[in-house]
Amino acid sequence: MSSNEPNILIVDDDPLVLKSLRDLLAIRGLAADTAIGGREAIVCLDQMEYDLVLLDLQMPYVNGHDVMRHINRKQIKTSVIVVSGETSFEAARDACSQGAYDFLRKPYATDELLITINNALNEINLEKQNRHITRQLRDSEHLHRYLVNTSPDIIYILDQDGHFTFINERIETLLGYSSRELTGKHYSYLVHQDDIEAARYVFNERRAGDRASRNVELRLKYKDDDSKHVFDTRTLPIELSSMGMYKDDDRSQKRTYLGTYGVARDITERKRAEETINFQAYHDLLTNLPNRALLRDRLGVAISQAKREKEMLAVMFLDLDRFKNINDTLGHVVGDELLQQVSARLKSCVREGDTLARFGGDEFTLLLPKIGKGEGDTSRIAQKINEVLRDPFIIDGNELYVSASIGISIYPRDGTDMETLIKHADIAMYHVKDTGKNNFKFYSSDMTTPYFQNLSLETGIHKALENDEFHLVYQPQINIKSGEIVGVEALLRWEHAEYGLISPAEFIPFAEETGMIVEIGHWVLHQACTELKRWRDAGLPEIRMSINMSARQLAEKKIVKYLADTLRDYRIPGHCLEIEITENTIMSDMDAMIHKLKELSKKGVNIAIDDFGTGYSSLSYLHKLPIHTLKVDRTFIREVNILQTGKSIINTIVAMVKGLGLNVIAEGVETQQQLDYLREIDCNEAQGFLFCKPLTADVVAQLLIQEPYAVPGSNPGMHRSRHRTH
Ligand code: C2E
Ligand code: MG
Ligand code: MG
């Protein structure tokens, strides 16, 4: 029913009256239905809704009073104007007591009748509008209440003194309190003891706009009626944002502080993931022993302490003999199990306060702080280690024998800093290997160092640059979904005239120490750009070139300009270059690095975090940096074959990193099973021996011509052909 055109019913037993009334209304532009007599009126009223009824009282059989009774009984919503020849006061009173809007006497004065009808219609209209607005308000209130109460976050309002005036129902599912019991309570009722101070600044925040508090982490207490112990209350980690609420006072032009509005988010899942990742960052997944990073940390602390207290400490470098043999013949699964059993036996030899770490592969390091004077304590532990490894290990029905070669260096005798102590323990270990293995030796300065520690690196590298002994190989990075090669990582190789191929893992750390890496890095950049330009000029599909860059290179003052100039010289767009840096590089000088990376990013260059998970792995810095890609370290991918935990870690990393909108590359993918898993968790890209080892530039060009690359398990035929550089 439209509110503009009212529905009117005229009821009378006299057809002439009906007609004249209808004509009268028609002149005023009002249409009306007619009913002759009370019975027909009742039929009409039952079938249709009328805004207004003009009703005669005296009618045969069913009269006007009967009609009104019917209207009341059936609770029909309509207004009635009685138009009647009955003149008695009682008739009028009866009609009004039955709810008639007005009473007009026949013969009626036309003007009076029209005014009465008009008034009635106006009133009806107002009522309709009122009802409409009330309904809208109710719906909107409903909607808002629904939104607030079903929000995944806690939403609250505090009064000026910090008491809750509102808190949504989410509090009940999260912490067990009902919103009613919290209303009127002070916010500190919910906050963990130790966080009260921090909470003071956020919970009743008075600032608004950009200056208000955002994402402050706090702990809230669960409702736990049984708990009488203040200190072990269970807590919920939250992230709180809040702001002051104000009312503008028109007259005084002042703003009055009303209280605080805040939103708190449950961050349990994130905290748990961070904890797991932190643990993994400092521990070896296979043996659960501290890893290299944690060892370095502890060694640093132990050296400072030894210095202060004028004590001695020992570093043992331990390498398993023949482990590679077992691994190669019996396979990784047996090798891994062996490493686990070996670490369990090693652990039985150490004292509380010692750190046994897995350094990588079959290498372990043992840090012994506070050893007594002389070599006695340390010798005894080394001896014990050689002894506990003597009994065979039973794995898969195989009886396996391993022994260890142990090199030892002592602070301060063999070195006063971390690098020297590790290096000297390593050299001593090599001597044990060279002289029959299964033994231990203390470092002495007359021990000859193995080749690359001995070699004068500076001349070596200079010569390598002069004599063209360096070259680059390129490992394809593949889009897991489409099977296309989307990029290549440039990897450095040194073909030494005398010693043959030397792995970058061996000489890059030394090149970094001496600063030679800067010159090498320039060579790598130009070589990689030359090759990329060649591919582009040949019209091959556009791909990304990833280049590894060490902290020392990035620390160069003019590195940003240098990179930008190089890109311009080779006519390579910024997005075709990706710089791979490790977390340790960023941590070496966080502020300076952030600044540089932002500059680089402005030039369009992509930034990737390499070997993610082996360094600090703090997700908290990720959002501060202009990072495009995160490369999950090979150690995590390797675990996919072995451990369920390995899987959940990658899954967590991939999910979180994708949540930040970054590209994820899995490094070191070697098996179909790993690839299947990565595809399942929606990891973007992968590189590894499953696809191919690092290749020469010509072979890469060949592959690009044959695009799309056939990823095992995908259907490359289905994919679109890609746009070419020309
Ligand atoms: P990275 O950047 O993490 O490079 C990946 C390493 O993993 C490469 O070793 C590659 O050959 C190896 N790899 C790739 N797929 C697999 C796989 O499926 N299984 C296994 N087991 N390994 C795989 P590479 O070439 O020996 O390089 C070692 C490290 O040396 C690199 O690690 C990188 O940190 C550094 N590096 C290499 N080239 C350069 C360079 O030009 N500049 C700098 N600063 N560092 C470089
Ligand atoms: Mg890399
Ligand atoms: Mg890597």
Side-chain angles (χ1 to χ4, degrees):
M1 192 181 3
S2 139
S3 59
N4 295 337
E5 288 172 26
N7 277 357
I8 303 175
L9 177 68
I10 308 168
V11 186
D12 208 301
D13 57 336
D14 180 347
L16 286 177
V17 176
L18 281 184
K19 183 173 179 327
S20 75
L21 273 174
R22 191 166 60 182
D23 292 348
L24 181 66
L25 292 182
I27 293 169
R28 294 296 162 129
L30 296 168
D33 292 343
T34 51
I36 191 144
R39 190 168 291 153
E40 196 176 317
I42 285 176
V43 173
C44 290
L45 283 165
D46 283 346
Q47 282 173 353
M48 212 172 127
E49 281 180 32
Y50 289 97
D51 297 305
L52 184 63
V53 182
L54 300 182
L55 180 67
D56 186 17
L57 284 185
Q58 283 177 328
M59 293 181 288
Y61 312 117
V62 177
N63 66 22
H65 293 287
D66 298 329
V67 174
M68 288 188 69
R69 227 170 281 125
H70 179 79
I71 287 175
N72 285 332
R73 202 175 55 242
K74 288 261 182 116
Q75 295 186 333
I76 294 171
K77 277 211 109 30
T78 185
S79 293
V80 177
I81 297 177
V82 172
V83 185
S84 172
E86 203 168 323
T87 51
S88 71
F89 169 74
E90 283 75 17
R93 190 197 55 200
D94 277 2
C96 288
S97 72
Q98 279 186 301
Y101 174 79
D102 212 339
F103 189 96
L104 291 178
R105 249 178 238 122
K106 275 188 203 163
Y108 49 81
T110 314
D111 284 350
E112 194 190 358
L113 176 72
L114 285 173
I115 288 171
T116 311
I117 289 176
N118 235 349
N119 286 346
L121 288 177
N122 277 343
E123 210 165 282
I124 288 163
N125 232 344
L126 272 178
E127 231 173 70
K128 266 192 199 168
Q129 278 172 9
N130 241 339
R131 269 203 305 274
H132 183 65
I133 290 170
T134 314
R135 198 178 319 124
Q136 270 185 331
L137 276 176
R138 203 182 48 224
D139 288 353
S140 143
E141 150 98 15
H142 236 93
L143 179 69
H144 285 101
R145 210 162 259 289
Y146 176 81
L147 288 179
V148 168
N149 278 331
T150 54
S151 155
D153 298 333
I154 298 170
I155 299 173
Y156 67 84
I157 295 174
L158 298 179
D159 66 12
Q160 289 120 309
D161 303 319
H163 299 101
F164 288 108
T165 55
F166 171 82
I167 188 156
N168 66 346
E169 288 168 7
R170 181 68 173 134
I171 195 78
E172 180 143 15
T173 43
L174 281 180
L175 294 172
Y177 307 93
S178 71
S179 26
R180 187 169 313 153
E181 75 178 291
L182 287 179
T183 311
K185 288 244 164 45
H186 194 258
Y187 69 82
S188 57
Y189 182 74
L190 283 183
V191 180
H192 185 268
Q193 222 85 342
D194 299 346
D195 290 349
I196 292 278
E197 193 56 30
R200 199 196 325 249
Y201 294 101
V202 234
F203 248 105
N204 48 359
E205 173 64 91
R206 281 178 174 246
R207 293 169 302 183
D210 286 349
R211 291 168 56 240
S213 304
R214 262 173 235 278
N215 304 337
V216 178
E217 287 186 17
L218 292 173
R219 284 163 299 166
L220 299 185
K221 291 185 285 192
Y222 279 93
K223 175 172 179 169
D224 191 358
D225 291 330
D226 303 334
S227 164
K228 294 184 183 62
H229 320 286
V230 185
F231 296 108
D232 59 5
T233 32
R234 292 185 307 131
T235 57
L236 176 82
I238 54 148
E239 196 171 66
L240 182 63
S241 301
S242 60
M243 62 167 107
M245 294 194 306
Y246 291 85
K247 190 175 80 179
D248 286 324
D249 191 333
D250 291 340
R251 250 173 294 157
S252 64
Q253 305 254 311
K254 266 198 204 142
R255 297 198 323 145
T256 333
Y257 172 62
L258 295 177
T260 302
Y261 161 81
V263 176
R265 171 157 298 185
D266 169 15
I267 52 168
T268 313
E269 281 307 312
R270 196 184 83 196
K271 282 278 172 208
R272 205 171 289 149
E274 273 177 9
E275 264 167 34
T276 325
I277 289 173
N278 269 338
F279 178 85
Q280 302 299 351
Y282 284 105
H283 292 82
D284 165 50
L285 280 180
L286 183 68
T287 59
N288 268 346
L289 289 178
N291 64 8
R292 194 185 281 247
L294 184 52
L295 177 88
R296 294 180 79 88
D297 221 73
R298 299 237 176 114
L299 183 53
V301 174
I303 290 175
S304 316
Q305 195 174 345
K307 212 169 265 176
R308 226 176 18 247
E309 319 262 318
K310 303 212 170 0
E311 286 171 341
M312 306 204 329
L313 65 81
V315 176
M316 278 191 196
F317 208 93
L318 204 148
D319 190 286
L320 299 185
D321 307 321
R322 286 181 298 278
F323 175 77
K324 192 175 173 323
N325 213 343
I326 294 172
N327 212 27
D328 289 349
T329 47
L330 296 176
H332 288 295
V333 178
V334 172
D336 286 343
E337 171 75 31
L338 180 61
L339 285 172
Q340 284 171 332
Q341 291 197 16
V342 166
S343 31
R345 286 199 199 172
L346 292 179
K347 259 192 249 172
S348 71
C349 303
V350 304
R351 311 163 302 177
E352 201 181 335
D354 297 344
T355 300
L356 172 67
R358 178 157 175 233
F359 221 57
D362 58 349
E363 293 172 346
F364 295 84
T365 310
L366 181 55
L367 160 65
L368 307 171
K370 295 190 184 174
I371 49 168
K373 295 269 175 268
E375 296 177 347
D377 285 357
T378 318
S379 298
R380 264 189 296 283
I381 291 179
Q383 231 159 11
K384 197 170 165 203
I385 290 176
N386 284 138
E387 269 163 33
V388 294
L389 296 180
R390 199 156 292 156
D391 287 340
F393 293 87
I394 316 287
I395 296 167
D396 253 4
N398 299 299
E399 232 178 48
L400 305 175
Y401 289 89
V402 282
S403 55
S405 299
I406 306 171
I408 308 166
S409 62
I410 305 272
Y411 170 93
R413 188 187 72 191
D414 304 326
T416 49
D417 63 86
M418 181 150 44
E419 304 306 331
T420 317
L421 285 168
I422 292 177
K423 189 164 93 186
H424 286 169
D426 194 22
I427 291 173
M429 187 273 291
Y430 270 106
H431 274 260
V432 180
K433 289 261 186 211
D434 283 348
T435 51
K437 306 187 172 126
N438 190 18
N439 205 343
F440 67 91
K441 265 200 171 110
F442 286 88
Y443 171 77
S444 78
S445 53
D446 58 5
M447 286 178 169
T448 47
T449 46
Y451 130 75
F452 37 89
Q453 290 171 356
N454 199 7
L455 177 90
S456 161
L457 249 185
E458 265 189 70
T459 30
I461 290 173
H462 270 306
K463 273 198 190 140
L465 285 164
E466 270 169 30
N467 301 346
D468 258 356
E469 286 174 358
F470 285 130
H471 68 269
L472 289 184
V473 285
Y474 303 88
Q475 188 174 39
Q477 300 174 323
I478 277 128
N479 178 313
I480 296 182
K481 259 204 198 115
S482 70
E484 288 171 339
I485 298 178
V486 282
V488 289
E489 177 176 6
L491 295 161
L492 186 57
R493 296 289 175 263
W494 182 1
E495 189 75 50
H496 194 283
E498 222 175 299
Y499 300 102
L501 196 65
I502 305 175
S503 146
E506 285 175 29
F507 66 86
I508 281 178
F510 295 93
E512 278 171 354
E513 246 170 64
T514 56
M516 293 295 295
I517 192 71
V518 175
E519 206 175 324
I520 299 179
H522 287 180
W523 181 87
V524 170
L525 179 67
H526 284 281
Q527 187 59 31
C529 286
T530 307
E531 224 51 78
L532 184 60
K533 181 170 186 309
R534 196 172 294 158
W535 296 333
R536 292 171 62 80
D537 289 347
L540 295 176
E542 179 168 273
I543 58 165
R544 186 182 61 208
M545 172 70 76
S546 294
I547 289 177
N548 292 284
M549 191 165 277
S550 43
R552 188 75 179 248
Q553 275 174 278
L554 208 54
E556 285 288 289
K557 248 204 188 115
K558 296 198 169 147
I559 183 70
V560 176
K561 182 171 175 342
Y562 186 79
L563 278 168
D565 289 349
T566 311
L567 286 176
R568 197 197 51 224
D569 292 348
Y570 286 90
R571 289 201 299 279
I572 292 172
H575 70 266
C576 287
L577 182 70
E578 183 153 274
I579 300 295
E580 291 189 9
I581 52 175
T582 63
E583 292 163 276
N584 298 4
T585 298
I586 298 167
M587 297 300 167
S588 63
D589 187 354
M590 186 90 164
D591 292 338
M593 287 302 165
I594 290 181
H595 178 71
K596 279 212 169 138
L597 296 181
K598 283 197 174 147
E599 290 294 300
L600 271 180
S601 184
K602 265 192 229 155
K603 309 266 178 215
V605 173
N606 285 351
I607 315 285
I609 302 290
D610 203 354
D611 305 342
F612 184 80
T614 59
Y616 292 81
S617 309
S618 164
L619 288 163
S620 55
Y621 70 77
L622 284 181
H623 68 269
K624 287 193 202 150
L625 296 167
I627 296 168
H628 306 83
T629 300
L630 200 135
K631 301 187 70 178
V632 183
D633 191 66
R634 190 153 57 87
T635 44
F636 295 102
I637 312 302
R638 209 179 47 206
E639 305 299 335
V640 166
N641 290 346
I642 314 166
L643 299 167
Q644 214 48 39
T645 51
K647 286 191 182 179
S648 69
I649 294 275
I650 318 182
N651 197 354
T652 314
I653 296 179
V654 171
M656 293 190 67
V657 171
K658 292 198 76 170
L660 290 168
L662 306 181
N663 184 27
V664 195
I665 306 185
E667 296 187 288
V669 178
E670 293 181 353
T671 66
Q672 180 66 46
Q673 188 190 354
Q674 291 164 344
L675 178 63
D676 289 343
Y677 181 67
L678 291 167
R679 183 178 288 126
E680 194 180 303
I681 61 172
D682 207 20
C683 177
N684 309 94
E685 297 175 21
Q687 66 183 96
F689 296 165
L690 175 65
F691 310 107
C692 46
K693 297 218 162 157
L695 311 166
T696 63
D698 290 343
V699 178
V700 172
Q702 281 302 317
L703 279 182
L704 287 179
I705 291 170
Q706 294 162 11
E707 272 251 87
Y709 185 77
V711 168
S714 81
N715 185 359
M718 278 171 52
H719 303 293
R720 70 203 152 78
S721 71
R722 264 191 329 172
H723 120 92
R724 306 205 158 228
T725 12
H726 285 296

PDB file of all heavy atoms in Angstrom, residues 610-611 633 667, ligand 3:
ATOM      1  N   ASP A 610      66.585 -14.459   2.117  1.00  0.00           N
ATOM      2  CA  ASP A 610      67.126 -15.773   1.774  1.00  0.00           C
ATOM      3  C   ASP A 610      67.242 -16.624   3.035  1.00  0.00           C
ATOM      4  O   ASP A 610      67.363 -16.098   4.132  1.00  0.00           O
ATOM      5  CB  ASP A 610      68.521 -15.559   1.161  1.00  0.00           C
ATOM      6  CG  ASP A 610      68.928 -16.717   0.277  1.00  0.00           C
ATOM      7  OD1 ASP A 610      68.197 -17.719   0.228  1.00  0.00           O
ATOM      8  OD2 ASP A 610      69.989 -16.604  -0.368  1.00  0.00           O
ATOM      9  N   ASP A 611      67.205 -17.935   2.859  1.00  0.00           N
ATOM     10  CA  ASP A 611      67.440 -18.887   3.959  1.00  0.00           C
ATOM     11  C   ASP A 611      66.563 -18.578   5.169  1.00  0.00           C
ATOM     12  O   ASP A 611      67.010 -18.697   6.309  1.00  0.00           O
ATOM     13  CB  ASP A 611      68.916 -18.842   4.409  1.00  0.00           C
ATOM     14  CG  ASP A 611      69.855 -19.085   3.250  1.00  0.00           C
ATOM     15  OD1 ASP A 611      69.399 -19.616   2.229  1.00  0.00           O
ATOM     16  OD2 ASP A 611      71.044 -18.724   3.360  1.00  0.00           O
ATOM     17  N   ASP A 633      64.097 -21.751   3.944  1.00  0.00           N
ATOM     18  CA  ASP A 633      65.359 -22.481   3.864  1.00  0.00           C
ATOM     19  C   ASP A 633      65.155 -23.976   3.608  1.00  0.00           C
ATOM     20  O   ASP A 633      64.161 -24.571   4.007  1.00  0.00           O
ATOM     21  CB  ASP A 633      66.167 -22.291   5.140  1.00  0.00           C
ATOM     22  CG  ASP A 633      67.573 -22.813   4.962  1.00  0.00           C
ATOM     23  OD1 ASP A 633      68.299 -22.220   4.142  1.00  0.00           O
ATOM     24  OD2 ASP A 633      67.930 -23.827   5.583  1.00  0.00           O
ATOM     25  N   GLU A 667      63.116 -23.381  -1.052  1.00  0.00           N
ATOM     26  CA  GLU A 667      64.458 -23.682  -1.565  1.00  0.00           C
ATOM     27  C   GLU A 667      64.761 -25.168  -1.403  1.00  0.00           C
ATOM     28  O   GLU A 667      64.277 -25.809  -0.472  1.00  0.00           O
ATOM     29  CB  GLU A 667      65.515 -22.938  -0.736  1.00  0.00           C
ATOM     30  CG  GLU A 667      65.451 -21.456  -0.802  1.00  0.00           C
ATOM     31  CD  GLU A 667      66.657 -20.840  -0.090  1.00  0.00           C
ATOM     32  OE1 GLU A 667      66.710 -20.880   1.143  1.00  0.00           O
ATOM     33  OE2 GLU A 667      67.535 -20.343  -0.792  1.00  0.00           O
TER      34      GLU A 667
HETATM   35 MG    MG B   3      68.987 -19.875   0.214  1.00  0.00          MG
END
